[in-house]
């Protein structure tokens, strides 16, 4: 499979290669910094296989924390999931609806069990649980 990098270089990868494989093929520093990839403008997970070529090299970009809006969207997306996981742990029986990243941050809609309501005082324990989820463990690269 062939991919065109932003500088015009063509990158050859084997069938079934992932975004992580592409980043590693470019360089070890980029592989460590990679958050996701964009293939022909579509944001994709690093672990998923890259799409098969459609007769021409597809445009490939490695998304890092310096990738502006794409990186911010990923951070907000991941933060929304960490929020949902934390709330579910702290308030068993809570139902989760939608929780997308939005222009100014992210949100999740929750339906709490009968008799459970939240106040501003509940935000600190939720934030603390979120920090526990994202805290790197020993030997970790720091990525979640």
């Amino acid at each position: 499979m062939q991919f065109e990098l932003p500088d015009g270089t063509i990158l050859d990868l084997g069938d079934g290669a992932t975004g992580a494989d592409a980043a590693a093929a470019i360089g070890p520093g980029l592989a460590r910094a990679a958050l996701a990839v964009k293939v022909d403008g579509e944001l994709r997970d690093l672990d998923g296989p890259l799409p098969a070529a459609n007769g021409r090299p597809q445009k490939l970009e490695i998304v890092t924390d310096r990738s502006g809006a794409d990186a911010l969207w990923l951070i907000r997306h991941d933060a929304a999931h960490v929020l949902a996981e934390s709330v579910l742990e702290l308030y068993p029986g809570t139902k989760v609806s939608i929780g997308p990243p939005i222009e100014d941050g992210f949100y999740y809609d929750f339906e709490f069990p009968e008799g459970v309501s939240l106040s501003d005082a509940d935000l600190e324990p939720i934030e603390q649980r979120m920090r526990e989820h994202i805290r790197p463990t020993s030997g970790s690269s720091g990525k979640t």
Side-chain angles (χ1 to χ4, degrees), residues 43-136:
L43 202 57
R44 296 174 160 270
D45 189 283
L46 283 174
D47 295 328
L50 295 170
N54 55 4
R56 63 165 176 76
Q58 297 179 83
K59 295 192 180 295
L60 177 76
E61 178 184 344
I62 308 298
V63 178
T64 71
D65 63 358
R66 297 181 180 184
S67 295
D70 288 328
L72 184 56
W73 186 91
L74 286 169
I75 290 167
R76 288 175 173 166
H77 177 263
D78 288 355
H81 284 291
V82 172
L83 170 67
E85 184 68 25
S86 298
V87 167
L88 290 173
E89 290 173 359
L90 292 169
Y91 304 95
T94 299
K95 295 179 182 174
V96 179
S97 182
I98 59 171
I102 56 175
E103 184 177 335
D104 295 330
F106 62 92
Y107 74 94
Y108 244 109
D109 285 337
F110 297 103
E111 181 182 334
F112 292 96
E114 190 172 325
V116 175
S117 62
L118 269 60
S119 71
D120 288 348
D122 296 299
L123 296 179
E124 183 61 34
I126 293 170
E127 288 178 15
Q128 180 58 39
R129 182 61 59 101
M130 291 176 71
R131 284 185 200 95
E132 292 169 8
H133 277 286
I134 62 172
R135 182 174 297 129

Coordinates of all heavy atoms in Angstrom, one line a residue, residues 43-136:
L43 N -10.1 11.0 10.1 CA -9.4 10.6 11.3 C -9.6 9.2 11.7 O -10.7 8.7 11.7 CB -9.9 11.5 12.5 CG -9.0 11.7 13.7 CD1 -7.7 12.3 13.3 CD2 -9.7 12.7 14.6
R44 N -8.5 8.5 12.0 CA -8.5 7.0 12.3 C -7.7 6.7 13.5 O -6.7 7.3 13.8 CB -8.0 6.2 11.1 CG -8.9 6.3 9.9 CD -8.2 5.6 8.7 NE -9.2 5.4 7.7 CZ -10.0 4.3 7.6 NH1 -9.8 3.3 8.4 NH2 -10.8 4.1 6.6
D45 N -8.1 5.6 14.2 CA -7.3 5.1 15.3 C -6.0 4.6 14.9 O -5.9 4.0 13.8 CB -8.2 4.0 16.0 CG -7.6 3.5 17.3 OD1 -6.6 2.8 17.3 OD2 -8.2 3.9 18.3
L46 N -5.0 4.7 15.7 CA -3.6 4.1 15.4 C -3.6 2.6 15.2 O -2.8 2.1 14.5 CB -2.6 4.5 16.5 CG -2.1 5.9 16.5 CD1 -1.3 6.2 17.8 CD2 -1.3 6.3 15.3
D47 N -4.5 1.9 16.0 CA -4.4 0.5 16.0 C -5.2 -0.2 14.9 O -5.0 -1.4 14.7 CB -4.9 0.0 17.3 CG -4.0 0.4 18.5 OD1 -2.8 0.5 18.3 OD2 -4.5 0.6 19.6
G48 N -6.0 0.6 14.2 CA -6.8 0.0 13.1 C -6.0 -0.2 11.8 O -5.1 0.6 11.6
P49 N -6.4 -1.1 11.0 CA -5.7 -1.3 9.7 C -6.0 -0.1 8.8 O -7.1 0.4 8.8 CB -6.2 -2.6 9.1 CG -7.5 -2.8 9.9 CD -7.4 -2.2 11.2
L50 N -5.0 0.3 8.1 CA -5.2 1.4 7.1 C -6.0 0.9 6.0 O -5.9 -0.3 5.6 CB -3.8 1.9 6.7 CG -3.0 2.6 7.8 CD1 -1.6 2.9 7.3 CD2 -3.6 3.9 8.3
P51 N -6.8 1.7 5.3 CA -7.6 1.3 4.2 C -6.7 0.9 3.0 O -5.7 1.5 2.8 CB -8.5 2.4 3.9 CG -7.8 3.6 4.4 CD -6.9 3.2 5.6
A52 N -7.2 -0.1 2.2 CA -6.5 -0.5 1.0 C -6.5 0.7 0.0 O -7.5 1.5 0.0 CB -7.2 -1.7 0.4
A53 N -5.5 0.7 -0.8 CA -5.4 1.8 -1.8 C -6.5 1.7 -2.8 O -7.1 0.6 -3.1 CB -4.0 1.6 -2.5
N54 N -6.9 2.8 -3.4 CA -7.9 2.8 -4.4 C -7.4 3.3 -5.7 O -8.0 4.0 -6.4 CB -9.1 3.8 -3.9 CG -8.5 5.2 -3.6 OD1 -7.4 5.5 -3.8 ND2 -9.4 6.0 -3.1
G55 N -6.2 2.8 -6.1 CA -5.6 3.1 -7.3 C -4.6 4.2 -7.3 O -3.9 4.5 -8.3
R56 N -4.5 4.9 -6.2 CA -3.5 6.0 -6.1 C -3.1 6.1 -4.7 O -3.7 5.6 -3.8 CB -4.2 7.4 -6.5 CG -5.4 7.7 -5.5 CD -5.8 9.2 -5.6 NE -6.9 9.4 -4.8 CZ -6.9 9.5 -3.4 NH1 -5.8 9.4 -2.8 NH2 -8.0 9.8 -2.8
P57 N -1.9 6.7 -4.4 CA -1.5 6.8 -3.0 C -2.4 7.7 -2.3 O -2.8 8.8 -2.7 CB -0.1 7.5 -3.1 CG 0.4 7.2 -4.5 CD -0.9 7.2 -5.3
Q58 N -2.9 7.2 -1.1 CA -3.8 8.0 -0.3 C -3.0 9.0 0.6 O -1.8 8.7 0.9 CB -4.6 7.1 0.6 CG -5.5 6.1 -0.2 CD -6.2 5.2 0.7 OE1 -7.3 5.5 1.2 NE2 -5.7 4.0 0.9
K59 N -3.5 10.1 0.9 CA -2.9 11.1 1.7 C -2.9 10.6 3.2 O -3.9 10.3 3.7 CB -3.5 12.5 1.5 CG -3.3 13.0 0.1 CD -3.7 14.5 0.1 CE -3.5 15.0 -1.4 NZ -2.2 15.0 -1.8
L60 N -1.7 10.6 3.8 CA -1.6 10.2 5.2 C -0.9 11.2 6.0 O 0.1 11.8 5.6 CB -0.8 8.9 5.2 CG -0.5 8.3 6.6 CD1 -1.8 7.7 7.2 CD2 0.6 7.3 6.6
E61 N -1.5 11.5 7.1 CA -1.0 12.5 8.1 C -1.0 11.8 9.5 O -2.0 11.2 9.9 CB -1.8 13.7 8.1 CG -1.4 14.8 9.1 CD -2.3 16.0 9.1 OE1 -3.1 16.1 8.2 OE2 -2.2 16.7 10.1
I62 N 0.1 11.9 10.2 CA 0.2 11.4 11.6 C -0.2 12.6 12.5 O 0.3 13.7 12.4 CB 1.6 11.0 11.9 CG1 2.2 10.0 10.9 CG2 1.6 10.4 13.4 CD1 1.4 8.7 10.8
V63 N -1.2 12.3 13.3 CA -1.7 13.4 14.2 C -1.0 13.3 15.6 O -0.9 12.2 16.1 CB -3.3 13.2 14.4 CG1 -3.8 14.2 15.4 CG2 -4.0 13.3 13.1
T64 N -0.4 14.4 16.0 CA 0.3 14.4 17.3 C -0.4 15.6 18.1 O -1.3 16.2 17.7 CB 1.8 14.8 17.1 OG1 1.9 16.1 16.7 CG2 2.4 13.8 16.1
D65 N 0.1 15.8 19.3 CA -0.4 16.8 20.2 C -0.2 18.2 19.6 O -0.7 19.2 20.1 CB 0.1 16.8 21.6 CG 1.6 17.0 21.7 OD1 2.3 17.1 20.7 OD2 2.1 17.0 22.8
R66 N 0.6 18.3 18.5 CA 0.8 19.6 17.8 C -0.1 19.8 16.6 O 0.2 20.7 15.8 CB 2.3 19.7 17.4 CG 3.2 19.7 18.6 CD 4.6 19.8 18.2 NE 5.5 19.8 19.4 CZ 6.7 20.0 19.4 NH1 7.4 20.2 18.2 NH2 7.4 20.0 20.5
S67 N -1.1 18.9 16.4 CA -1.9 18.9 15.2 C -3.1 19.8 15.3 O -4.1 19.6 14.6 CB -2.3 17.5 14.9 OG -1.1 16.7 14.5
G68 N -3.1 20.8 16.2 CA -4.2 21.8 16.3 C -5.6 21.2 16.6 O -5.8 20.4 17.6
A69 N -6.5 21.5 15.7 CA -7.9 21.1 16.0 C -8.1 19.6 16.1 O -8.9 19.1 16.8 CB -8.8 21.7 14.9
D70 N -7.4 18.8 15.3 CA -7.5 17.4 15.3 C -7.1 16.8 16.7 O -7.7 16.0 17.3 CB -6.7 16.7 14.2 CG -7.3 16.9 12.9 OD1 -8.5 17.0 12.7 OD2 -6.5 16.9 11.9
A71 N -6.0 17.3 17.2 CA -5.5 16.9 18.5 C -6.5 17.3 19.6 O -6.8 16.5 20.5 CB -4.1 17.5 18.8
L72 N -7.0 18.5 19.5 CA -8.0 19.0 20.5 C -9.2 18.2 20.5 O -9.8 17.8 21.5 CB -8.3 20.5 20.3 CG -9.2 21.1 21.3 CD1 -8.6 21.1 22.7 CD2 -9.4 22.6 20.9
W73 N -9.7 17.8 19.3 CA -10.9 16.9 19.2 C -10.6 15.6 19.9 O -11.5 15.1 20.6 CB -11.3 16.7 17.7 CG -12.6 16.0 17.6 CD1 -13.8 16.5 17.5 CD2 -12.7 14.6 17.6 NE1 -14.8 15.5 17.4 CE2 -14.1 14.3 17.5 CE3 -11.9 13.5 17.6 CZ2 -14.6 13.0 17.4 CZ3 -12.4 12.2 17.6 CH2 -13.7 12.0 17.5
L74 N -9.5 15.0 19.6 CA -9.1 13.7 20.3 C -9.1 13.8 21.8 O -9.6 12.9 22.5 CB -7.8 13.2 19.7 CG -7.7 12.7 18.3 CD1 -6.3 12.5 17.9 CD2 -8.5 11.4 18.2
I75 N -8.5 14.9 22.3 CA -8.4 15.1 23.7 C -9.8 15.2 24.3 O -10.1 14.6 25.3 CB -7.5 16.3 24.1 CG1 -6.1 16.0 23.7 CG2 -7.7 16.7 25.5 CD1 -5.2 17.2 23.7
R76 N -10.6 16.0 23.7 CA -12.0 16.2 24.2 C -12.8 14.8 24.1 O -13.6 14.5 25.0 CB -12.7 17.3 23.4 CG -12.2 18.6 23.8 CD -12.8 19.7 22.9 NE -12.4 21.0 23.4 CZ -12.5 22.1 22.8 NH1 -13.1 22.1 21.6 NH2 -12.1 23.3 23.3
H77 N -12.6 14.1 23.0 CA -13.3 12.8 22.9 C -12.9 11.9 24.0 O -13.7 11.2 24.6 CB -12.9 12.3 21.5 CG -13.5 10.9 21.2 ND1 -12.7 9.8 21.4 CD2 -14.7 10.5 20.8 CE1 -13.5 8.7 21.1 NE2 -14.7 9.1 20.7
D78 N -11.6 11.8 24.2 CA -11.1 10.9 25.2 C -11.5 11.3 26.6 O -11.9 10.5 27.5 CB -9.5 10.8 25.2 CG -9.0 10.0 24.0 OD1 -9.9 9.4 23.2 OD2 -7.8 10.0 23.8
A79 N -11.5 12.6 26.9 CA -11.9 13.2 28.2 C -13.4 12.8 28.4 O -13.8 12.5 29.6 CB -11.7 14.7 28.2
A80 N -14.2 12.9 27.4 CA -15.6 12.5 27.6 C -15.8 11.1 28.0 O -16.6 10.8 28.9 CB -16.4 12.8 26.3
H81 N -15.0 10.2 27.4 CA -15.1 8.8 27.8 C -14.5 8.6 29.2 O -15.1 7.8 30.0 CB -14.2 7.9 26.8 CG -14.9 7.7 25.5 ND1 -16.1 6.9 25.4 CD2 -14.7 8.2 24.3 CE1 -16.5 7.0 24.1 NE2 -15.6 7.7 23.4
V82 N -13.5 9.3 29.6 CA -13.0 9.2 31.0 C -14.0 9.7 32.0 O -14.2 9.1 33.0 CB -11.6 9.9 31.1 CG1 -11.2 10.0 32.6 CG2 -10.6 9.3 30.2
L83 N -14.7 10.8 31.6 CA -15.8 11.3 32.5 C -16.9 10.2 32.6 O -17.3 9.9 33.8 CB -16.4 12.5 31.9 CG -17.7 13.0 32.5 CD1 -17.4 13.5 33.9 CD2 -18.3 14.1 31.7
A84 N -17.3 9.6 31.5 CA -18.4 8.6 31.6 C -18.0 7.4 32.5 O -18.7 7.0 33.3 CB -18.8 8.2 30.2
E85 N -16.8 6.9 32.3 CA -16.3 5.8 33.1 C -16.2 6.1 34.5 O -16.6 5.4 35.4 CB -14.9 5.3 32.6 CG -14.4 4.1 33.2 CD -15.2 2.9 32.9 OE1 -15.8 2.8 31.9 OE2 -15.2 1.9 33.8
S86 N -15.8 7.3 34.9 CA -15.6 7.8 36.2 C -17.0 7.9 36.9 O -17.2 7.4 38.0 CB -14.9 9.1 36.3 OG -13.6 8.9 35.8
V87 N -18.0 8.5 36.2 CA -19.3 8.6 36.8 C -20.0 7.3 37.0 O -20.6 7.0 38.0 CB -20.2 9.6 35.9 CG1 -21.6 9.5 36.2 CG2 -19.7 11.0 35.9
L88 N -19.8 6.4 36.0 CA -20.4 5.0 36.2 C -19.8 4.3 37.4 O -20.5 3.5 38.1 CB -20.1 4.2 34.9 CG -20.9 4.7 33.7 CD1 -20.5 3.9 32.4 CD2 -22.4 4.5 33.9
E89 N -18.5 4.5 37.6 CA -17.9 3.8 38.8 C -18.4 4.4 40.1 O -18.6 3.7 41.1 CB -16.4 4.0 38.7 CG -15.7 3.1 37.6 CD -14.3 3.4 37.4 OE1 -13.7 4.3 38.2 OE2 -13.7 2.7 36.6
L90 N -18.5 5.8 40.2 CA -18.9 6.4 41.4 C -20.4 6.3 41.7 O -20.8 6.4 42.8 CB -18.5 7.9 41.3 CG -17.0 8.2 41.4 CD1 -16.7 9.6 41.0 CD2 -16.4 7.8 42.7
Y91 N -21.2 6.2 40.6 CA -22.7 6.2 40.8 C -23.2 4.9 40.0 O -23.8 5.0 38.9 CB -23.3 7.5 40.2 CG -22.7 8.7 40.9 CD1 -21.7 9.4 40.3 CD2 -23.2 9.1 42.1 CE1 -21.1 10.5 41.0 CE2 -22.7 10.2 42.8 CZ -21.6 10.9 42.2 OH -21.1 12.0 42.8
P92 N -23.1 3.7 40.6 CA -23.6 2.5 40.0 C -25.0 2.7 39.6 O -25.8 3.2 40.3 CB -23.3 1.4 41.0 CG -22.3 2.0 41.9 CD -22.5 3.5 41.9
G93 N -25.4 2.1 38.5 CA -26.7 2.1 38.0 C -27.0 3.3 37.1 O -28.1 3.4 36.6
T94 N -26.1 4.2 37.0 CA -26.2 5.4 36.1 C -26.3 4.9 34.6 O -25.5 4.0 34.2 CB -25.1 6.4 36.3 OG1 -25.1 6.8 37.6 CG2 -25.2 7.5 35.3
K95 N -27.1 5.5 33.8 CA -27.2 5.2 32.4 C -26.6 6.3 31.6 O -26.8 7.5 32.0 CB -28.7 5.0 32.0 CG -29.3 3.8 32.6 CD -30.7 3.6 32.2 CE -31.4 2.4 32.9 NZ -32.8 2.3 32.6
V96 N -25.8 6.0 30.6 CA -25.1 6.9 29.8 C -25.8 7.1 28.5 O -26.2 6.1 27.8 CB -23.6 6.5 29.6 CG1 -22.9 7.5 28.7 CG2 -22.9 6.3 30.9
S97 N -25.9 8.3 28.0 CA -26.5 8.5 26.7 C -25.4 8.9 25.7 O -24.6 8.1 25.4 CB -27.6 9.6 26.8 OG -28.2 9.8 25.6
I98 N -25.4 10.1 25.3 CA -24.4 10.6 24.3 C -23.4 11.5 25.0 O -23.7 12.1 26.0 CB -25.1 11.3 23.1 CG1 -25.9 12.5 23.6 CG2 -26.0 10.4 22.3 CD1 -26.4 13.4 22.5
G99 N -22.3 11.6 24.4 CA -21.2 12.5 25.0 C -20.1 12.9 24.0 O -19.0 12.4 24.2
P100 N -20.5 13.6 23.1 CA -19.5 14.0 22.1 C -18.6 15.2 22.4 O -19.0 16.0 23.3 CB -20.4 14.4 20.9 CG -21.6 15.0 21.5 CD -21.8 14.2 22.8
P101 N -17.5 15.3 21.8 CA -16.7 16.5 21.9 C -17.5 17.6 21.2 O -18.2 17.3 20.2 CB -15.4 16.2 21.2 CG -15.6 15.0 20.4 CD -16.8 14.3 20.9
I102 N -17.5 18.8 21.7 CA -18.1 19.9 21.0 C -17.2 21.1 20.9 O -16.0 21.0 21.4 CB -19.4 20.4 21.8 CG1 -19.0 20.7 23.3 CG2 -20.5 19.3 21.8 CD1 -20.2 21.3 24.1
E103 N -17.6 22.2 20.3 CA -16.6 23.3 20.0 C -15.9 23.8 21.2 O -14.8 24.2 21.2 CB -17.4 24.4 19.3 CG -16.5 25.6 18.9 CD -17.3 26.7 18.2 OE1 -18.3 26.4 17.6 OE2 -16.8 27.8 18.2
D104 N -16.6 23.9 22.4 CA -16.1 24.4 23.6 C -15.7 23.4 24.6 O -15.4 23.8 25.8 CB -17.1 25.4 24.2 CG -17.4 26.6 23.3 OD1 -16.5 27.0 22.6 OD2 -18.5 27.1 23.4
G105 N -15.6 22.1 24.3 CA -15.3 21.1 25.3 C -15.9 19.8 24.9 O -15.8 19.3 23.8
F106 N -16.6 19.2 25.9 CA -17.3 17.9 25.7 C -18.4 17.8 26.8 O -18.4 18.6 27.7 CB -16.3 16.8 25.9 CG -15.7 16.7 27.2 CD1 -16.3 15.9 28.2 CD2 -14.5 17.4 27.5 CE1 -15.7 15.8 29.5 CE2 -13.9 17.3 28.8 CZ -14.5 16.5 29.8
Y107 N -19.3 16.9 26.6 CA -20.3 16.6 27.6 C -20.8 15.2 27.5 O -20.5 14.5 26.5 CB -21.5 17.6 27.5 CG -22.4 17.3 26.3 CD1 -23.5 16.5 26.5 CD2 -22.1 17.8 25.1 CE1 -24.4 16.3 25.4 CE2 -23.0 17.6 24.0 CZ -24.1 16.8 24.2 OH -24.9 16.5 23.1
Y108 N -21.5 14.8 28.5 CA -22.2 13.5 28.5 C -23.5 13.7 29.1 O -23.7 14.5 30.1 CB -21.4 12.4 29.3 CG -20.9 11.3 28.4 CD1 -19.6 11.1 28.1 CD2 -21.8 10.4 27.9 CE1 -19.1 10.1 27.3 CE2 -21.3 9.3 27.1 CZ -20.0 9.2 26.8 OH -19.6 8.2 26.0
D109 N -24.5 13.0 28.6 CA -25.9 13.0 29.2 C -25.9 11.8 30.1 O -25.6 10.7 29.6 CB -27.0 13.0 28.1 CG -27.2 14.3 27.4 OD1 -26.8 15.3 28.0 OD2 -27.7 14.3 26.3
F110 N -26.3 12.0 31.3 CA -26.4 10.8 32.3 C -27.9 10.8 32.8 O -28.5 11.8 33.0 CB -25.5 11.0 33.5 CG -24.0 11.0 33.1 CD1 -23.3 12.2 33.1 CD2 -23.4 9.9 32.9 CE1 -22.0 12.2 32.8 CE2 -22.0 9.9 32.5 CZ -21.3 11.1 32.5
E111 N -28.3 9.6 33.0 CA -29.6 9.4 33.8 C -29.2 8.6 35.0 O -28.7 7.5 35.0 CB -30.6 8.5 33.0 CG -31.9 8.3 33.7 CD -32.8 7.5 32.9 OE1 -32.7 7.4 31.6 OE2 -33.7 6.8 33.5
F112 N -29.3 9.3 36.2 CA -28.9 8.8 37.4 C -30.0 8.0 38.0 O -31.2 8.2 37.8 CB -28.5 9.9 38.4 CG -27.2 10.6 38.0 CD1 -27.2 11.7 37.3 CD2 -26.0 10.0 38.3 CE1 -26.1 12.4 36.9 CE2 -24.8 10.6 37.9 CZ -24.9 11.8 37.2
P113 N -29.7 7.0 38.9 CA -30.7 6.2 39.5 C -31.6 7.1 40.4 O -31.2 8.1 40.8 CB -29.9 5.2 40.4 CG -28.6 5.2 39.8 CD -28.4 6.5 39.2
E114 N -32.8 6.6 40.6 CA -33.8 7.3 41.4 C -33.1 7.7 42.8 O -32.5 6.8 43.4 CB -35.0 6.5 41.6 CG -36.2 7.3 42.3 CD -37.5 6.5 42.3 OE1 -37.7 5.8 41.4 OE2 -38.2 6.7 43.3
G115 N -33.3 8.9 43.2 CA -32.8 9.3 44.5 C -31.4 9.9 44.4 O -30.8 10.4 45.4
V116 N -30.7 9.8 43.2 CA -29.3 10.3 43.1 C -29.4 11.6 42.3 O -30.0 11.7 41.2 CB -28.4 9.3 42.3 CG1 -27.1 9.9 42.1 CG2 -28.3 8.0 43.1
S117 N -28.9 12.7 42.9 CA -28.7 13.9 42.2 C -27.3 14.5 42.5 O -26.8 14.2 43.6 CB -29.8 14.9 42.6 OG -29.7 15.2 44.0
L118 N -26.8 15.2 41.6 CA -25.5 15.8 41.8 C -25.5 17.3 42.1 O -26.5 18.0 41.7 CB -24.6 15.6 40.5 CG -23.8 14.3 40.4 CD1 -24.7 13.1 40.5 CD2 -23.0 14.3 39.2
S119 N -24.5 17.7 42.8 CA -24.3 19.2 43.1 C -22.9 19.5 42.7 O -22.1 18.6 42.4 CB -24.7 19.5 44.5 OG -23.6 18.9 45.4
D120 N -22.6 20.8 42.9 CA -21.2 21.2 42.7 C -20.2 20.5 43.5 O -19.1 20.2 43.1 CB -21.1 22.7 42.9 CG -21.7 23.6 41.8 OD1 -22.1 23.0 40.8 OD2 -21.9 24.8 42.0
A121 N -20.6 20.0 44.7 CA -19.7 19.3 45.6 C -19.3 18.0 45.1 O -18.3 17.4 45.5 CB -20.4 19.1 47.0
D122 N -20.1 17.4 44.1 CA -19.8 16.1 43.5 C -18.7 16.2 42.4 O -18.2 15.2 42.0 CB -21.0 15.5 43.0 CG -22.0 15.2 44.0 OD1 -21.7 14.4 44.9 OD2 -23.2 15.7 44.0
L123 N -18.4 17.4 42.0 CA -17.5 17.6 40.9 C -16.1 17.2 41.2 O -15.3 16.5 40.5 CB -17.5 19.0 40.3 CG -18.8 19.4 39.7 CD1 -18.8 20.8 39.2 CD2 -19.2 18.4 38.5
E124 N -15.6 17.5 42.5 CA -14.3 17.2 42.9 C -14.0 15.7 42.9 O -13.0 15.2 42.4 CB -14.0 17.8 44.2 CG -12.5 17.6 44.7 CD -11.5 18.2 43.8 OE1 -11.7 19.2 43.2 OE2 -10.4 17.5 43.6
P125 N -14.9 14.9 43.5 CA -14.7 13.4 43.5 C -14.7 12.9 42.0 O -13.9 11.9 41.7 CB -15.8 12.8 44.3 CG -16.3 13.9 45.1 CD -16.0 15.2 44.4
I126 N -15.5 13.4 41.2 CA -15.5 12.9 39.8 C -14.2 13.3 39.1 O -13.6 12.5 38.4 CB -16.7 13.5 39.0 CG1 -18.0 13.0 39.5 CG2 -16.6 13.3 37.5 CD1 -19.3 13.7 39.0
E127 N -13.7 14.5 39.3 CA -12.4 14.9 38.7 C -11.3 14.1 39.2 O -10.4 13.7 38.5 CB -12.2 16.4 39.0 CG -13.1 17.4 38.2 CD -12.8 18.8 38.6 OE1 -11.8 19.1 39.2 OE2 -13.7 19.6 38.2
Q128 N -11.3 13.8 40.5 CA -10.3 12.9 41.1 C -10.3 11.6 40.5 O -9.2 11.0 40.1 CB -10.5 12.8 42.6 CG -9.4 12.0 43.3 CD -8.0 12.5 43.1 OE1 -7.7 13.7 43.1 NE2 -7.1 11.6 42.9
R129 N -11.5 11.0 40.3 CA -11.5 9.7 39.7 C -11.0 9.7 38.2 O -10.3 8.8 37.8 CB -13.0 9.1 39.7 CG -13.2 7.8 39.1 CD -12.4 6.7 39.9 NE -12.7 6.5 41.2 CZ -13.5 5.6 41.8 NH1 -14.0 4.7 41.0 NH2 -13.7 5.6 43.1
M130 N -11.3 10.8 37.5 CA -10.8 11.0 36.2 C -9.3 11.0 36.2 O -8.6 10.4 35.3 CB -11.4 12.3 35.5 CG -12.9 12.2 35.2 SD -13.6 13.7 34.6 CE -12.8 13.7 32.9
R131 N -8.7 11.8 37.1 CA -7.3 11.8 37.2 C -6.6 10.5 37.5 O -5.6 10.1 36.9 CB -6.8 12.8 38.4 CG -7.0 14.2 38.0 CD -6.4 15.1 39.2 NE -7.0 16.4 39.1 CZ -8.1 16.9 39.7 NH1 -8.7 16.1 40.6 NH2 -8.5 18.1 39.5
E132 N -7.3 9.6 38.3 CA -6.8 8.3 38.5 C -6.8 7.5 37.2 O -5.9 6.7 37.0 CB -7.7 7.6 39.6 CG -7.5 8.2 40.9 CD -8.6 7.7 41.9 OE1 -9.3 6.8 41.6 OE2 -8.7 8.3 43.0
H133 N -7.8 7.7 36.4 CA -7.8 6.9 35.1 C -6.7 7.4 34.1 O -6.2 6.5 33.4 CB -9.2 7.1 34.4 CG -10.2 6.2 34.9 ND1 -10.3 4.9 34.6 CD2 -11.3 6.5 35.7 CE1 -11.3 4.4 35.2 NE2 -11.9 5.3 35.9
I134 N -6.3 8.6 34.2 CA -5.3 9.1 33.2 C -3.9 9.1 33.7 O -3.0 9.3 33.0 CB -5.7 10.5 32.6 CG1 -5.7 11.5 33.7 CG2 -7.0 10.4 31.9 CD1 -5.9 12.9 33.2
R135 N -3.8 8.9 35.1 CA -2.4 8.9 35.7 C -1.6 7.7 35.1 O -2.1 6.6 35.2 CB -2.6 8.8 37.2 CG -1.2 8.8 37.9 CD -1.4 8.8 39.4 NE -2.1 10.1 39.8 CZ -3.2 10.1 40.5 NH1 -3.7 9.0 41.0 NH2 -3.8 11.2 40.8
P136 N -0.4 8.0 34.6 CA 0.4 6.9 34.1 C 0.9 6.0 35.2 O 1.1 6.4 36.3 CB 1.6 7.6 33.5 CG 1.4 9.1 33.6 CD 0.2 9.3 34.4

